[in-house]
Amino acid sequence: MSNPSISYPLYRKYKNGKNYFRIVSASEFDEIQVLGSNYLLHHFTAKILPDHNLIYDMTFDFETSWSEIREEEFLGALEKVGSKTDS
């Protein structure tokens, strides 16, 4: 499923703004979950087909569920991981 024309990392977020993604390869991604005022970081490594399909969709067919974002937006959310915010 790798494509030599893809330059990783790629950055996405759900359209509702509650989850941020950094796709680091065709088989790995980081997700920041926003739960109330908490930001949680998870690292995923695809091991089964549905996980690989999710990464593929985030890479090539993201327009329906995800928005493309800049690295700075992801890093802004990453700075809030592990701390409570007043938002």
Side-chain angles (χ1 to χ4, degrees):
M1 272 197 194
S2 66
N3 185 333
S5 65
I6 298 297
S7 178
Y8 294 102
L10 302 171
Y11 298 93
R12 307 282 189 258
K13 72 177 177 181
Y14 277 136
K15 293 200 180 222
N16 67 9
K18 302 275 185 187
N19 302 67
Y20 296 81
F21 300 90
R22 175 174 49 198
I23 306 160
V24 295
S25 73
S27 62
E28 293 182 82
F29 69 93
D30 297 315
E31 177 183 8
I32 298 172
Q33 269 186 306
V34 181
L35 298 171
S37 62
N38 295 309
Y39 287 67
L40 306 170
L41 176 65
H42 306 281
H43 180 79
F44 293 91
T45 301
K47 296 179 180 164
I48 59 175
L49 184 59
D51 295 341
H52 285 283
N53 290 344
L54 174 63
I55 295 171
Y56 182 89
D57 288 345
M58 282 194 290
T59 302
F60 297 105
D61 191 24
F62 62 90
E63 293 87 0
T64 57
S65 298
W66 298 273
S67 299
E68 190 170 17
I69 61 171
R70 300 178 71 84
E71 178 182 18
E72 295 79 16
E73 188 172 351
F74 181 88
L75 294 177
L78 187 60
E79 288 178 0
K80 297 176 184 176
V81 168
S83 64
K84 289 194 172 195
T85 64
D86 293 329
S87 50

